């Protein structure tokens, strides 16, 4: 698991039930969009995230629609395991 992937997961673990747009994850993690979106797509394909299009009218909001991502139950469990493993040390 790459450092960038850990930073993305960390952004979601701040409040696991919250949906985040890619722009929100970028602000929290500092990961460039060219790296961020492939990570989000890979984790979604692996079942760690679900996503949906935001329900805002782009003309009214004055910005493009955003894709919102949320950790799945499985994703939360797996992410928690990954971060917990850092506290366990390395097996001998």
């Amino acid at each position: 698991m790459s450092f960038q992937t850990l930073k993305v997961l960390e952004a979601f673990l701040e409040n696991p039930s919250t949906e985040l747009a890619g722009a929100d994850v970028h602000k929290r993690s500092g990961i460039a969009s060219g790296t961020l979106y492939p990570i989000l797509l890979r984790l979604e394909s692996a079942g760690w995230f679900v996503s949906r299009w935001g329900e805002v009218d782009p003309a009214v909001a004055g910005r493009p629609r955003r894709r919102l991502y949320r950790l799945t139950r499985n994703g939360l469990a797996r992410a928690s395991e990954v971060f917990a493993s850092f506290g366990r040390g390395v097996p001998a």
Side-chain angles (χ1 to χ4, degrees), residues 60-82:
V60 173
R63 61 168 175 76
R65 285 191 316 164
R66 292 183 177 164
R67 190 104 186 129
L68 301 173
Y69 297 87
R70 181 180 50 80
L71 276 169
T72 62
R73 229 177 262 201
N74 180 50
L76 176 57
R78 300 286 310 274
S80 297
E81 289 171 9
V82 167

Side-chain angles (χ1 to χ4, degrees), residues 1-13 29 39 43 79 82-83 86:
M1 180 152 311
S2 72
F3 176 73
Q4 291 88 353
T5 301
L6 292 173
K7 294 292 287 178
V8 169
L9 290 172
E10 187 175 52
F12 282 91
L13 289 173
S29 68
I39 290 170
L43 291 172
V82 167
F83 282 97
F86 292 123

Side-chain angles (χ1 to χ4, degrees), residues 45-69:
S45 293
W48 290 42
F49 290 123
V50 292
S51 68
R52 67 176 181 87
W53 285 107
E55 296 177 12
V56 66
D57 180 355
V60 173
R63 61 168 175 76
R65 285 191 316 164
R66 292 183 177 164
R67 190 104 186 129
L68 301 173
Y69 297 87

Side-chain angles (χ1 to χ4, degrees), residues 10-20 28 70-71 76:
E10 187 175 52
F12 282 91
L13 289 173
E14 289 176 17
N15 188 350
S17 62
T18 301
E19 289 182 315
L20 296 175
R28 292 179 183 200
R70 181 180 50 80
L71 276 169
L76 176 57

